[in-house]
Amino acid sequence: MIHIKEWMKRVKKEFYRKNIAERIVMVIAALMIVTTICFVSSVFIILQKQLVATTSTSAKKDLEMVLEKMDMFFQGVENDAVSVLVGESCQTLLENSGQFLQGDIVKQHEKYVLIQQVINSYIGQKSSYSAITFYDLKGNYYANEDLVEEEEYLQNQMARVEKFIESDKKSELLELHKSPWKQSKAKSYADCISYVRKVYSMGSGRLIGVVEIEIPNRELSRLYETVMSDGIKMYFERDNHIILAGDEALLYQSLEDRRWYKAAGAQSPDEDGFTMAQDKGAWYFMKEYKGQNWTAVSEVSKSIYLTSVTVYAVTMVLLGVAVFLGSLVLVKFLVKSITRPLSQITQTIVEIGKGDYHKRVAVKDGGELGTLAFEFNRMVDKTEILLLEIVEKEEDKRESELSLIQMQMTPHFFYNILESICGLIVMDEKKLAIHTIQLLSGFYRGVLNKGKEIITVKQELDIASNYLEIMKVCYPGKFTYEVTCQPELENHFICKLTLQPILENAIHHGFQEMSGGGLLSIRVFAGERGMVIEVEDNGMGMDDKTRKSILSGESRGFRMESFGLRNTDERIKLYFGSRYGLKILPLAQGTKIRIFLPTREDYTS
């Protein structure tokens, strides 16, 4: 409670620091935001509940329809099995199985004819059956000789049939298994369900064998493919394992460790026999298929069905934002019409405090506010006149500082590059000489820049690049350089020739003892205090005493170069304030200089 009270006091204190217009806008905006959030959230929850109910109803109807189709399908399978086992071909084949196995070629041909009659009568008419197989009581099987058998799968299936023969059941659906048969052109053995039924002699009534009708999983899945889509999966499970599925990758998978499956098992079915469970990704609707002791499962993905809710929520949020912004504009207009005179006076005072002495209060109201504005403008006029002399003196100082730095670098730099150009002409390097002259022209074009002392970062980097290219001509193979700059900083401002003294110092002193391999890196990026320019070299560097004394003006180790660095630091502080300037950082090898500058795209000299 104590922390809440302290927090409330701070909020109240900050609130009363705002002007009247801001307070009114803040209160109305807060009320509108809370109202919009409550409205959108409540509608979202209601819509989501309706969606779950609609999804549940649709999934249950689909399950009921699929189970009815299953009943009709397996009733048809059972009828076909009965037709087969009472047929003359099946009775003859199984009652005389011993003769066919030990008989001559004529008997073998008769067996082949009998099997073909059954296959042509049923498999030829129904694509949902992949094979019809007969088993006698001696462990022999009879199948279409055109099929390719797989010994391991066949032995497993015969074991299942033998177990069925020993049971008291007249018919049964055998568990999901790999078919022992395939067409010669088929790539693999299909996953299937087998319907088996005992065959009794029509004459004596004794058990003479078993007939098996094989139904591939892909054929059974066609019964419910119409209710499946990208967001809906349907499958059947028995004994915690998936035995039928439209997606064959789900077959044989165990559901025992699935949380939603455990949750569904702990529930009691509703009055229609359905149970429902869910996880983060889907809803699961389950119903027992009593005809075969299976459980049908409809898996409905939440992502697809929640799309409409998401679209609605986004639409409502956008609409709420639009209404909020529109109302905010009207509120601001109303508040400004009341507080505009005071706001103008306050804003003008702030602008003048920042240094804009051309700003004046433009209040048309009469009375006390008009008098206050008139007298304030008179005071600013007098102050501006007094500051003009100071500004002129500062301008003269700026020009002298710039002249000093230009005088420092111009003579020896200009003469050195002229000597280099002459040397290139003597060595018949005319193209390089012309290129160097172009670089020199570009360099001085940037330096002159119509007399402007403040230029953009991009212009300063162009001057620096021209200078470094010229130095590479003067000192071939001595060093390389790289320049990187965040694009959004290119139009910010910097003092002209800020980088040149630093680069000159690195080349003439950092790389003096190096025959090659020098590397100069210029990086421009946004820092905590504003814009930062880093100039780093891998040259000889400087000791701590020299580094600390250069900017303070106490250095005796360097002369002109230390003057250039100190002068650059002072110019930055003069133009942009004492917060900004140079900082020399210690390195194990080389020197790193950071230049701190404000980030702004406008500058008034």
Side-chain angles (χ1 to χ4, degrees), residues 331-348:
V331 170
K332 283 189 174 181
F333 176 77
L334 175 62
V335 172
K336 283 185 178 180
S337 67
I338 300 172
T339 61
R340 183 180 291 110
L342 290 175
S343 298
Q344 287 179 338
I345 294 175
T346 304
Q347 185 63 30
T348 303

Side-chain angles (χ1 to χ4, degrees), residues 55 62 155 195 237 302 311 319 334 354 379 399 404 407 537:
T55 303
D62 290 342
Q155 292 300 323
Y195 178 82
E237 67 89 15
K302 290 182 178 180
V311 171
L319 182 60
L334 175 62
K354 292 180 180 179
M379 180 187 68
E399 292 178 1
L404 283 175
M407 290 173 62
D537 67 74

Side-chain angles (χ1 to χ4, degrees), residues 538-577:
N538 61 347
M540 61 180 292
M542 60 181 72
D543 56 44
D544 289 341
K545 183 177 180 181
T546 303
R547 177 176 57 81
K548 293 178 180 178
S549 61
I550 282 180
L551 297 181
S552 65
E554 301 175 357
S555 174
R556 298 294 182 267
F558 294 105
R559 295 191 177 93
M560 290 301 292
E561 61 274 10
S562 63
F563 170 77
L565 294 178
R566 188 171 66 256
N567 185 279
T568 300
D569 181 60
E570 291 175 355
R571 289 175 64 225
I572 292 173
K573 286 179 168 57
L574 179 64
Y575 280 94
F576 300 108

Side-chain angles (χ1 to χ4, degrees), residues 357-507:
Y357 291 98
H358 299 290
K359 201 78 174 178
R360 295 294 182 272
V361 179
V363 178
K364 299 179 181 179
D365 295 56
E368 294 83 357
L369 289 176
T371 303
L372 177 63
F374 176 76
E375 293 298 330
F376 178 80
N377 288 338
R378 285 183 58 191
M379 180 187 68
V380 175
D381 289 337
K382 292 180 180 180
T383 304
E384 186 177 15
I385 293 173
L386 294 174
L387 290 176
L388 282 175
E389 296 181 3
I390 300 175
V391 171
E392 290 176 359
K393 291 180 181 179
E394 291 295 335
E395 290 294 333
D396 293 339
K397 185 177 181 180
R398 292 178 183 177
E399 292 178 1
S400 63
E401 293 288 348
L402 181 58
S403 298
L404 283 175
I405 197 69
Q406 289 176 332
M407 290 173 62
Q408 170 192 339
M409 52 78 61
T410 300
H412 67 272
F413 166 70
F414 188 70
Y415 296 145
N416 288 343
I417 191 59
L418 287 180
E419 289 180 0
S420 298
I421 293 172
C422 291
L424 292 172
I425 295 173
V426 170
M427 292 185 294
D428 201 22
E429 294 286 346
K430 295 180 180 179
K431 290 184 178 180
L432 184 55
I434 293 172
H435 178 63
T436 305
I437 293 172
Q438 292 172 340
L439 291 173
L440 185 63
S441 173
F443 174 78
Y444 275 103
R445 189 183 301 112
V447 169
L448 296 175
N449 194 29
K450 298 180 181 181
K452 294 182 180 179
E453 301 171 13
I454 301 298
I455 61 176
T456 64
V457 172
K458 185 178 186 305
Q459 291 173 321
E460 177 67 8
L461 292 178
D462 290 340
I463 294 174
S465 297
N466 281 330
Y467 176 76
L468 291 173
E469 288 294 331
I470 293 170
M471 289 296 99
K472 287 179 69 177
V473 174
C474 296
Y475 303 98
K478 192 81 169 179
F479 71 94
T480 59
Y481 72 92
E482 57 184 17
V483 179
T484 58
C485 176
Q486 294 180 356
E488 63 270 17
L489 299 177
E490 290 184 347
N491 293 324
H492 292 260
F493 287 92
I494 187 173
C495 300
K496 183 170 62 180
L497 293 177
T498 297
L499 295 175
Q500 191 275 336
I502 301 172
L503 301 176
E504 182 179 9
N505 186 62
I507 295 171

Side-chain angles (χ1 to χ4, degrees), residues 301-313:
S301 175
K302 290 182 178 180
S303 61
I304 292 179
Y305 284 89
L306 289 177
T307 300
S308 57
V309 178
T310 304
V311 171
Y312 172 80

